[in-house]
Amino acid sequence: MQKNNSIWQFFASVKLALVILFLIAVTSIIGTLIPQKEAAEFYITNYGPKAAQIFAVLDIPDMYNSWWFLALLFLLAFNLIICSIERFPGVWKQVTADGLALPAERLQKMTNKISWTTRGSLSEVQNTLTEKLQKKGFKASSRESDGSTILFAQKGHWTRTGVYLVHSSILVIFLGAIIGSLGGYKGFVTIPETQESSRVFLFGGKGIAELDFSVRCNNFKIDFYPNGMPKEYTSSLTVIEQGKEVLTKEIEVNDPLSYRGVTFYQSSYEPYQDFVVTIQAPSGETRTFIVPFQQQESWGEANLKFGVINAKVMGQSIVSSKLWFSDGNESPATIWIDDGAQVNIERQNGTYQVSAKQMYATGLQVAKDPGVWWVYIGCGLMLFGLYVAFFMSHRRIWLLLSHEKDNTHVLLSGSANKNRTGFENHFAELGTFLQSTGNKD
Amino acid sequence: MDSSQLLGITTFTLLFASFLYIGALLFRSSTVGRFATWFTVAALVIQTAGLGLRWVESYKMGIGHAPLTNMYESVVFFAWTIVILYLGIEWKFKTRTIGAFALPLAFLAMAYGSFAPINKGINPLVPALQSNWLLAHVITCFVGYAAFAIAAALGIMYLLKSYFGNDSNAGETSLLPSLKVMDDIIHKSMIFGFIWLSAGIITGAIWANSAWGTYWSWDPKETWSLITWFVYAITLHARYTRGISGKAIAWLSLIGLLAVIFTYYGVNFLLSGLHSYGSG
């Protein structure tokens, strides 16, 4: 039908695919040379007002999301689809082809062929050969025609579709990317320790996403290597849904928290001048306070007064803080507490367990991407398809058996669509193997 | 004996092996060729020991991680994969002439690692690099890069022969393998590299998603790896469907390697420079 149409032929050509791939490759370079997603003034200062104007028209500051770049990607997808529609039926014909229908003359003209004569009737020979083929993993079918019999067996006929697996994998990845950009978002939330938030600030000035649950940062800490380099950032997060705590997890870089399709990634932090002081009274009751530096805080019911009066700093972080602590009965205690550590303070009415640490806010990157599994499936399909397309082949074997007085004449021929040298060796081995059975009395 | 000494010995063994391969090629001596192979095997053993020891040393320092985490370690690993792939090709295709072109590349990588002003220390990993995907990502990428390097080495051989040589008397009298054989190995190396580069880009994307929630952000490194992927995709399609082979493919193998080098090296040193200028 429309296949003779010249527009159809234009989109079905591999030449077009090569041109599109070339254009995508070359234009992609632009975005690696010109910094992306900067403010408009940036381009004016660095490239001049005239260039900045041209950039703006062509969407250069965000070129990978520009209309023309997306159009190129769309064109590639379209070209892939049309190319596949154009070529797949032919390939499928070869996958499902009936090997027995091949005329005998064709078998004699194949590059790979071996012939021999063996004792025994045609049906006896046919049976032994069929069994032997089975041992090599070839399941043979047969057909009789004018006194001779053709056996046919094949392996890997489906591997002819390998190229199409790769091409469809690219479409699956595109689909995943589209699902992700339509149904998902990326944003950021900063949560101070002990506090919770359900609002995500979306990137690209797209406003705020209100979650139907909130996330509390219980605790944030940084571990350092002996040389002072940061070793790990850890946030303890609790998901709270309708007032109930439903999930608590310690997240690190590379180990995020996921809840209801929304994922929270450890991304940054902000140190505060305040301290988080946690006190467990002898009664067992525990309270957490946020205490500004060198300011007195009190816990009325327990009759406690306390504050952080001094701190040791390494770089930007506090390594230990000096706590002043009074229960009103004895003279106040002062004690150095390593950041985040817990100490016991003995008083007449019992032991107070006290910990103090610098207060932080954890910075979380937030992503919702319902398309990511499509992308992963596409990636898996691509690797599988590449392996099939490049390393697996369709191998076909024919045996033409014909009477020759008391003997049977055998013609073995075969072909492969790829790796022909490798197939030649296998074919020779197979020939020797089949003949050895044929010679047996 | 520490790992840096072993890797230093590797550099000189590779240099010596390169000379032997070139000598074997120029003087058509199979005895010299056999020596070349043995020296290359020795270099591989020493280098493997060196990499292994470096791994052990990192654990002794209490910051244990695979030796695949900075520019120095990556060029060492790059050289290692070139040598191992080359030996595989020598064994499979029964030809030593490629060694005269592939081994110098391995030596140059090691020499760059040893003499360039780059950090050669074993350093602790920043939190973003602490992921099992690091291993999968670096290994897959560099197997791909090494295969592309070998394809390019063959590409140079191909072009030398087709411009200066005479293929009519291909065979024993010829210095290099026949154009047909070289074209075949170039193609096979590119296919091999292409699959590994694809796996490298994919593992990188999965890693990025587990660290930042974005599997693709068009940063210069990602974009250049994709450009490299396109160069080889174009080459493979041109060969399959348009029957282009020979000199054009040999030139493309060189263009491909330039894209690889730019992805691997240029992006870090040139584009990051542009960016710091831009943001400064």
Side-chain angles (χ1 to χ4, degrees):
Chain A
M1 23 168 237
Q2 79 271 57
K3 296 207 171 178
N4 296 322
N5 189 323
S6 63
I7 297 175
W8 176 275
Q9 289 307 329
F10 173 75
F11 282 108
S13 84
V14 180
K15 207 173 182 178
L16 178 68
L18 293 179
V19 171
I20 299 170
L21 284 174
F22 179 76
L23 286 177
I24 295 176
V26 170
T27 53
S28 291
I29 299 174
I30 299 171
T32 67
L33 299 174
I34 298 169
Q36 296 288 295
K37 297 186 176 180
E38 301 284 347
E41 302 82 59
F42 170 88
Y43 299 100
I44 297 171
T45 357
N46 287 288
Y47 301 94
K50 214 166 223 174
Q53 213 166 7
I54 297 168
F55 285 3
V57 172
L58 293 174
D59 268 346
I60 298 291
D62 190 9
M63 68 149 278
Y64 300 109
N65 293 310
S66 68
W67 59 270
W68 57 268
F69 193 76
L70 293 178
L72 277 177
L73 293 179
F74 173 79
L75 209 57
L76 179 67
F78 190 66
N79 177 239
L80 263 176
I81 293 169
I82 303 296
C83 273
S84 302
I85 293 176
E86 176 83 0
R87 288 171 183 76
F88 190 76
V91 171
W92 190 245
K93 228 179 194 169
Q94 285 179 299
V95 170
T96 53
D98 178 14
L100 292 170
L102 214 65
E105 307 86 69
R106 285 277 300 278
L107 299 184
Q108 315 214 338
K109 284 183 192 152
M110 287 195 176
T111 333
N112 293 302
K113 59 173 190 282
I114 305 171
S115 64
W116 66 92
T117 306
T118 181
R119 238 186 274 169
S121 75
L122 199 147
S123 62
E124 280 168 15
V125 174
Q126 181 181 344
N127 286 342
T128 26
L129 288 176
T130 309
E131 267 175 43
K132 280 283 151 189
L133 279 176
Q134 188 106 42
K135 278 186 187 159
K136 289 283 178 190
F138 282 106
K139 220 178 137 221
S141 53
S142 65
R143 180 178 296 167
E144 276 177 58
S145 66
D146 10 286
S148 60
T149 301
I150 294 185
L151 297 183
F152 170 70
Q154 61 181 347
K155 276 182 188 174
H157 57 294
W158 62 275
T159 61
R160 284 183 184 268
T161 62
V163 175
Y164 300 93
L165 294 179
V166 177
H167 288 173
S168 47
S169 77
I170 292 171
L171 297 175
V172 173
I173 291 171
F174 279 176
L175 180 72
I178 292 168
I179 294 174
S181 68
L182 295 180
Y185 55 75
K186 302 221 176 343
F188 200 83
V189 59
T190 305
I191 313 175
E193 283 175 301
T194 74
Q195 290 173 33
E196 59 183 79
S197 172
S198 61
R199 309 176 87 195
V200 178
F201 295 87
L202 301 182
F203 288 138
K206 290 180 191 152
I208 290 171
E210 195 72 45
L211 303 174
D212 42 11
F213 57 88
S214 67
V215 174
R216 184 179 68 212
C217 174
N218 306 314
N219 177 283
F220 173 83
K221 70 171 195 278
I222 313 174
D223 292 325
F224 292 94
Y225 289 109
N227 71 357
M229 236 175 87
K231 183 180 185 180
E232 197 53 85
Y233 307 108
T234 313
S235 297
S236 163
L237 301 181
T238 296
V239 176
I240 300 163
E241 196 169 27
Q242 289 164 345
K244 264 189 272 177
E245 298 186 358
V246 288
L247 178 67
T248 296
K249 185 181 177 186
E250 296 238 315
I251 68 160
E252 293 176 352
V253 183
N254 280 310
D255 185 16
L257 161 81
S258 278
Y259 187 70
R260 295 229 199 158
V262 184
T263 310
F264 298 83
Y265 299 85
Q266 181 66 63
S267 165
S268 64
Y269 66 94
E270 243 175 72
Y272 285 104
Q273 296 285 327
D274 302 339
F275 291 79
V276 180
V277 177
T278 307
I279 302 173
Q280 188 182 0
S283 64
E285 198 188 341
T286 305
R287 287 274 297 268
T288 297
F289 302 86
I290 293 163
V291 187
F293 190 48
Q294 291 180 340
Q295 278 187 39
Q296 188 175 304
E297 182 68 46
S298 57
W299 181 359
E301 303 93 78
N303 201 24
L304 295 179
K305 288 194 171 93
F306 52 89
V308 176
I309 55 174
N310 201 355
K312 280 182 196 155
V313 178
M314 192 175 87
Q316 281 195 323
S317 15
I318 283 163
V319 285
S320 69
S321 45
K322 193 178 192 181
L323 189 81
W324 175 89
F325 183 90
S326 161
D327 68 345
N329 299 326
E330 298 168 48
S331 59
T334 54
I335 182 165
W336 280 100
I337 304 176
D338 285 344
D339 202 61
Q342 196 177 51
V343 296
N344 292 341
I345 299 177
E346 305 289 346
R347 301 271 92 177
Q348 277 167 354
N349 56 347
T351 305
Y352 292 86
Q353 287 179 354
V354 182
S355 72
K357 66 182 283 294
Q358 182 179 16
M359 182 169 170
Y360 288 97
T362 184
L364 305 174
Q365 190 136 322
V366 187
K368 183 182 172 189
D369 189 346
V372 74
W373 286 105
W374 287 102
V375 173
Y376 286 177
I377 288 168
C379 289
L381 187 63
M382 177 185 284
L383 291 180
F384 176 70
L386 284 172
Y387 182 81
V388 172
F390 289 133
F391 293 119
M392 292 179 84
S393 58
H394 181 196
R395 287 147 291 161
R396 289 182 290 183
I397 303 284
W398 289 269
L399 283 155
L400 181 65
L401 311 182
S402 47
H403 283 293
E404 221 166 64
K405 290 175 197 163
D406 293 343
N407 299 328
T408 301
H409 182 261
V410 183
L411 170 69
L412 169 70
S413 35
S415 74
N417 67 332
K418 268 173 269 168
N419 187 18
R420 299 213 165 85
T421 352
F423 179 72
E424 272 168 32
N425 298 333
H426 282 292
F427 183 79
E429 275 170 35
L430 185 72
T432 325
F433 176 72
L434 292 177
Q435 285 186 61
S436 71
T437 61
N439 292 334
K440 212 166 58 183
D441 269 319
Chain B
M1 183 70 72
D2 64 17
S3 66
S4 58
Q5 281 170 297
L6 285 177
L7 295 175
I9 296 169
T10 305
T11 310
F12 288 101
T13 314
L14 286 175
L15 176 64
F16 196 60
S18 302
F19 281 131
L20 286 175
Y21 274 116
I22 294 167
L25 177 67
L26 293 179
F27 303 112
R28 295 170 206 191
S29 159
S30 58
T31 318
V32 177
R34 271 198 296 280
F35 270 108
T37 304
W38 284 115
F39 267 91
T40 310
V41 171
L44 181 69
V45 171
I46 297 166
Q47 192 177 11
T48 309
L51 279 167
L53 193 57
R54 195 175 165 95
W55 202 332
V56 171
E57 284 164 3
S58 76
Y59 273 92
K60 282 189 184 150
M61 290 165 69
I63 50 169
H65 57 74
L68 300 169
T69 60
N70 59 20
M71 182 52 92
Y72 172 71
E73 291 174 337
S74 77
V75 289
V76 172
F77 185 67
F78 184 40
W80 188 82
T81 34
I82 291 177
V83 169
I84 210 162
L85 281 186
Y86 166 69
L87 283 174
I89 289 174
E90 179 181 311
W91 176 72
K92 190 164 179 224
F93 294 92
K94 312 277 177 248
T95 169
R96 287 202 174 90
T97 43
I98 302 163
F101 296 84
L103 260 279
L105 291 180
F107 162 71
L108 285 176
M110 285 302 288
Y112 175 79
S114 310
F115 303 115
I118 53 174
N119 172 18
K120 297 186 230 334
I122 301 176
N123 304 112
L125 293 184
V126 296
L129 289 180
Q130 294 166 27
S131 166
N132 289 331
W133 290 108
L134 170 76
L135 216 63
H137 178 59
V138 174
I139 289 174
T140 47
C141 283
F142 276 91
V143 173
Y145 291 176
F148 292 143
I150 285 176
L154 277 147
I156 293 172
M157 290 164 65
Y158 190 100
L159 293 171
L160 282 177
K161 180 151 185 165
S162 59
Y163 285 114
F164 304 112
N166 183 0
D167 200 38
S168 58
N169 55 351
E172 302 90 69
T173 54
S174 176
L175 217 55
L176 296 170
S178 74
L179 291 178
K180 188 166 168 277
V181 168
M182 289 195 284
D183 185 57
D184 182 51
I185 310 178
I186 291 174
H187 180 59
K188 284 181 172 146
S189 309
M190 278 191 186
I191 287 175
F192 187 78
F194 188 69
I195 292 188
W196 284 95
L197 176 64
S198 307
I201 294 174
I202 290 171
T203 48
I206 298 174
W207 182 14
N209 191 52
S210 72
W212 301 291
T214 314
Y215 51 82
W216 195 261
S217 53
W218 293 104
D219 97 334
K221 195 89 168 174
E222 286 173 346
T223 308
W224 270 98
S225 73
L226 191 66
I227 292 168
T228 306
W229 192 84
F230 280 138
V231 170
Y232 288 101
I234 289 170
T235 307
L236 293 176
H237 280 89
R239 190 185 157 106
Y240 263 113
T241 56
R242 305 197 61 79
I244 292 168
S245 62
K247 275 192 248 180
I249 299 288
W251 279 112
L252 282 165
S253 76
L254 295 182
I255 294 171
L257 187 69
L258 285 181
V260 167
I261 292 171
F262 198 78
T263 306
Y264 168 28
Y265 186 80
V267 170
N268 293 20
F269 288 87
L270 299 175
L271 293 187
S272 65
L274 265 182
H275 277 250
S276 58
Y277 152 76
S279 57

